[in-house]
Amino acid sequence: MKKILQDLSLGELENFILSLGEKKFRAKQLYEGLTQGKAVEDISSLPKSLKARLCEEYENMPVKIKAKFVSSDGTEKYLFEYADGNVVEGVLMKYKYGYTQCVSTQVGCRMGCKFCASTLNGLLRNLTAGEILSQILIVNALHKADAAGQGAEKRAVTNVVLMGSGEPLDNYDEVVKFLRLISAEDGIGMSPRNISLSTCGIVPKMYDLAKEGLPVNLTVSLHATDDVTRARVMPVAKAYTIDDILKACDYYFQKTGRRYYFEYTLIAGENCDNEHADALVKLLKGKPCHVNLIRLNEVKERDLKALDDKAAYRFLGRLEKGGLSATLRRQIGVDIGGACGQLRAQYLGE
Ligand code: SAH
């Protein structure tokens, strides 16, 4: 596989361009073109000969849109294809304040969560920082017109969530590099505050992340209130206890001043009776956190069932009454295979 220019910061590109015997300003032109989501050969400010030289060693464009689906509610679902033929998926959610893109960090996943389609075939490989970034660059480019008037002509995508396929903290170095690239002032310049990183709770890496100086919104997939129940749906719970996770979250808050989030997917008969709501209140009350309740997107390969709406609101009400800050996620994009890994699983199946 060829190398990827989007993996490089402006400084790294400058060194690289100088090493080719080219003038330094070419790096800036190249970087600007890449930031606009262009393929190397479409960057008109660069001489043809340089572009040809670059494309000998580097991908002209690391990612292609293999398929795009638009939901009746406007949500867009993408299937991205990388140079080696691997595919990952992404979602674009359109809100009044801007667009939020959900990106994938790995091809597949090895965490084995019982409700999740991303993990069905295990982990194929990690994505590089530039491959993750390219998912956003290409969607931004597609929606260029929508960015007008938002005060940031470089981006239609204003928020990013690392909640697609893969476990971000299992691909730590590339994900942190991605966070630096996307927040670089001379590039997309997205504030870490507009980025949410969701993890199944790889505790040592949560401590590492707290020390990076990248105050992203940390979100932990909890899905249970005790370790035994949690281990039934999330094998990672055998390595790290809920108690370990809560300590790491508190450390994250101490270091970054950012409140943290929990995701709690409601699985009928498993984790959403009154006793679970009360246990969740007991666990989290008084902590600087917010709980996002998620409706289970039933995956056909797994026999876990979603909770009905009425019961979901009852669960939410009990958390709120207990003093927790919580919301029940509105379900969007259901008609286009909204849940993690569903689209890719469908594609691979075909
Ligand atoms: N690996 C990360 C990010 C991936 S998924 C993590 O575990 O947090 C983002 C969220 O979607 C996680 O909370 C995950 O548990 C949840 N999720 C995955 N599959 C789901 C499904 N079928 N229905 C509802 N939520 C799901």
Side-chain angles (χ1 to χ4, degrees), residues 17 22-23 25-27 29-30 40-55:
I17 286 289
E22 298 279 343
K23 295 250 165 40
F25 74 94
R26 294 293 183 204
Q29 290 174 326
L30 174 59
V40 174
E41 63 183 17
D42 295 333
I43 304 176
S44 51
S45 53
L46 293 179
K48 268 212 172 83
S49 57
L50 175 58
K51 291 194 272 193
R53 224 175 136 192
L54 289 172
C55 290

Side-chain angles (χ1 to χ4, degrees), residues 115 163-164 166-167 198-200 221 223 263 265 295 297 299 340:
F115 43 81
M163 294 187 186
E167 165 51 45
S198 178
T199 177
C200 61
S221 300
H223 307 329
E263 282 154 300
T265 295
R295 293 175 172 89
N297 244 310
V299 172
C340 277

Side-chain angles (χ1 to χ4, degrees), residues 84 86-88 104-113 116-128 131-132 164-172 174-175 202 302 344 348:
D84 63 355
N86 270 311
V87 295
V88 301
S104 293
T105 53
Q106 296 180 311
V107 183
C109 183
R110 59 181 182 137
M111 294 298 126
C113 299
C116 182
S118 297
T119 202
L120 288 170
N121 298 307
L123 175 69
L124 269 79
R125 72 169 174 91
N126 282 326
L127 293 179
T128 71
E131 285 180 319
I132 303 169
S165 294
E167 165 51 45
L169 298 187
D170 187 39
N171 182 15
Y172 186 84
E174 292 301 319
V175 164
I202 303 187
R302 314 285 201 194
R344 175 168 172 268
L348 293 178

Side-chain angles (χ1 to χ4, degrees), residues 234-308:
M234 301 180 73
V236 70
K238 293 180 192 123
Y240 307 108
T241 64
I242 292 176
D243 194 45
D244 293 337
I245 289 175
L246 295 183
K247 287 197 179 104
C249 287
D250 285 335
Y251 182 77
Y252 194 81
F253 178 70
Q254 246 179 53
K255 278 295 216 194
T256 62
R258 307 286 293 159
R259 76 171 175 164
Y260 43 86
Y261 299 79
F262 292 104
E263 282 154 300
Y264 196 96
T265 295
L266 301 166
I267 307 170
E270 189 67 37
N271 66 356
C272 37
D273 296 335
N274 284 343
E275 65 186 81
H276 298 114
D278 297 343
L280 201 54
V281 168
K282 198 164 160 225
L283 207 58
L284 303 181
K285 197 168 174 173
K287 293 194 176 295
C289 71
H290 179 85
V291 179
N292 277 313
L293 298 177
I294 308 177
R295 293 175 172 89
L296 178 73
N297 244 310
E298 291 174 9
V299 172
K300 74 173 187 319
E301 291 82 356
R302 314 285 201 194
D303 61 356
L304 299 172
K305 292 278 165 256
L307 192 65
D308 66 78

Side-chain angles (χ1 to χ4, degrees), residues 5-6 14 20 65 88 121 157 174 202 267 286 291 319 324:
L5 288 163
Q6 287 81 354
E14 282 171 350
L20 295 178
I65 294 174
V88 301
N121 298 307
V157 178
E174 292 301 319
I202 303 187
I267 307 170
V291 179
L319 296 187
L324 292 192

